Coordinates of all heavy atoms in Angstrom, one line a residue:
Chain A
K1452 N 0.5 28.8 7.1 CA 1.4 29.0 8.3 C 1.1 27.9 9.4 O 0.0 27.4 9.4 CB 1.0 30.4 9.0 CG 1.6 31.6 8.2 CD 1.3 32.8 9.0 CE 1.1 34.0 8.1 NZ 0.4 35.1 8.6
E1482 N 5.0 32.8 -4.3 CA 5.7 34.1 -4.3 C 5.1 35.1 -5.3 O 5.6 36.2 -5.3 CB 7.2 33.8 -4.6 CG 7.8 33.0 -3.5 CD 9.3 32.8 -3.7 OE1 9.8 33.1 -4.8 OE2 10.0 32.4 -2.7
F1500 N -2.8 32.1 5.8 CA -2.0 32.0 4.6 C -0.6 32.5 4.7 O -0.4 33.5 5.5 CB -2.7 32.8 3.5 CG -4.1 32.2 3.0 CD1 -5.1 33.0 2.7 CD2 -4.2 30.8 2.9 CE1 -6.4 32.5 2.3 CE2 -5.5 30.3 2.5 CZ -6.5 31.1 2.2
F1502 N 1.4 34.0 2.4 CA 1.8 34.8 1.2 C 1.1 36.1 1.3 O 0.4 36.4 2.3 CB 1.4 34.0 -0.1 CG 0.0 33.5 -0.2 CD1 -1.0 34.3 -0.7 CD2 -0.4 32.3 0.3 CE1 -2.3 33.9 -0.8 CE2 -1.7 31.8 0.2 CZ -2.7 32.6 -0.3
D1503 N 1.3 37.0 0.4 CA 0.8 38.4 0.5 C -0.7 38.4 0.5 O -1.4 37.7 -0.2 CB 1.3 39.3 -0.7 CG 2.7 39.7 -0.5 OD1 3.4 39.3 0.5 OD2 3.2 40.5 -1.3
C1504 N -1.2 39.2 1.4 CA -2.7 39.3 1.6 C -3.2 40.7 1.8 O -2.4 41.5 2.4 CB -3.1 38.5 2.9 SG -2.9 36.7 2.7
D1506 N -6.7 42.7 3.3 CA -8.1 42.6 3.9 C -8.9 43.7 3.4 O -8.4 44.9 3.5 CB -8.0 42.7 5.5 CG -7.3 41.5 6.1 OD1 -7.3 40.5 5.5 OD2 -6.8 41.7 7.2
H1509 N -16.5 44.5 3.1 CA -17.5 43.6 2.6 C -17.9 43.8 1.1 O -18.2 44.9 0.7 CB -18.8 43.8 3.5 CG -19.0 45.3 3.8 ND1 -19.5 45.8 4.9 CD2 -18.8 46.4 3.0 CE1 -19.5 47.1 4.9 NE2 -19.1 47.5 3.8
R1511 N -16.2 44.1 -1.6 CA -15.4 44.8 -2.5 C -14.2 44.1 -3.0 O -13.4 44.7 -3.8 CB -14.9 46.2 -1.8 CG -16.0 46.9 -1.1 CD -17.1 47.3 -1.9 NE -18.1 48.0 -1.1 CZ -19.4 47.8 -1.1 NH1 -19.9 46.9 -2.0 NH2 -20.3 48.4 -0.4
R1551 N -16.0 42.2 -17.2 CA -14.8 42.8 -17.8 C -13.8 41.7 -18.1 O -12.8 41.9 -18.7 CB -14.1 43.7 -16.7 CG -14.8 45.0 -16.6 CD -13.9 46.0 -15.8 NE -13.4 45.5 -14.5 CZ -14.1 45.6 -13.4 NH1 -15.2 46.4 -13.3 NH2 -13.6 45.1 -12.2
Chain B
E977 N -17.8 50.2 -12.3 CA -19.3 50.1 -12.4 C -19.9 51.0 -11.3 O -21.1 51.2 -11.4 CB -19.7 48.6 -12.1 CG -19.3 48.0 -10.8 CD -17.9 47.4 -10.7 OE1 -17.1 47.8 -11.6 OE2 -17.7 46.6 -9.9
E1010 N -16.6 55.1 2.2 CA -16.3 53.8 2.8 C -14.9 53.4 2.5 O -14.1 53.0 3.3 CB -17.3 52.7 2.3 CG -16.9 51.3 2.6 CD -17.6 50.3 1.8 OE1 -18.7 49.9 2.1 OE2 -17.1 49.9 0.7
G1120 N 4.2 40.2 -4.2 CA 4.6 38.8 -4.2 C 5.7 38.6 -3.2 O 6.7 39.4 -3.2
S1122 N 8.5 36.9 -2.7 CA 9.7 36.3 -3.0 C 10.8 37.0 -2.3 O 10.8 38.3 -2.2 CB 10.0 36.2 -4.5 OG 10.0 37.5 -5.0
R1124 N 11.2 37.6 0.8 CA 10.8 38.3 2.0 C 9.7 37.6 2.6 O 9.1 36.7 2.1 CB 10.5 39.7 1.7 CG 9.3 39.9 0.7 CD 8.7 41.3 0.9 NE 7.7 41.6 -0.2 CZ 6.5 41.2 -0.2 NH1 6.0 40.3 0.7 NH2 5.7 41.6 -1.2
Q1126 N 5.8 37.4 4.3 CA 4.5 37.9 3.8 C 4.2 39.3 4.1 O 4.5 39.8 5.2 CB 3.5 37.0 4.5 CG 2.0 37.4 4.4 CD 1.2 36.7 5.5 OE1 1.6 36.6 6.7 NE2 0.0 36.2 5.2
N1127 N 3.7 40.1 3.2 CA 3.2 41.5 3.5 C 1.7 41.4 3.6 O 1.0 40.7 2.8 CB 3.6 42.4 2.3 CG 5.0 43.1 2.5 OD1 5.6 42.9 3.6 ND2 5.4 43.8 1.5
I1129 N -1.7 43.9 4.0 CA -2.4 45.2 4.0 C -3.7 45.0 4.7 O -4.6 44.2 4.3 CB -2.6 45.7 2.6 CG1 -1.3 45.9 1.8 CG2 -3.4 47.1 2.6 CD1 -0.4 47.0 2.2
T1130 N -3.9 45.7 5.8 CA -5.1 45.5 6.6 C -5.5 46.7 7.3 O -4.7 47.6 7.7 CB -5.0 44.3 7.5 OG1 -6.3 44.0 8.1 CG2 -4.0 44.6 8.7

Side-chain angles (χ1 to χ4, degrees):
Chain A
K1452 284 184 210 160
E1482 295 185 347
F1500 292 141
F1502 50 90
D1503 281 4
C1504 290
D1506 292 336
H1509 40 218
R1511 316 298 177 225
R1551 286 193 304 270
Chain B
E977 63 274 22
E1010 170 197 272
S1122 58
R1124 62 158 168 78
Q1126 168 197 43
N1127 273 351
I1129 300 288
T1130 188

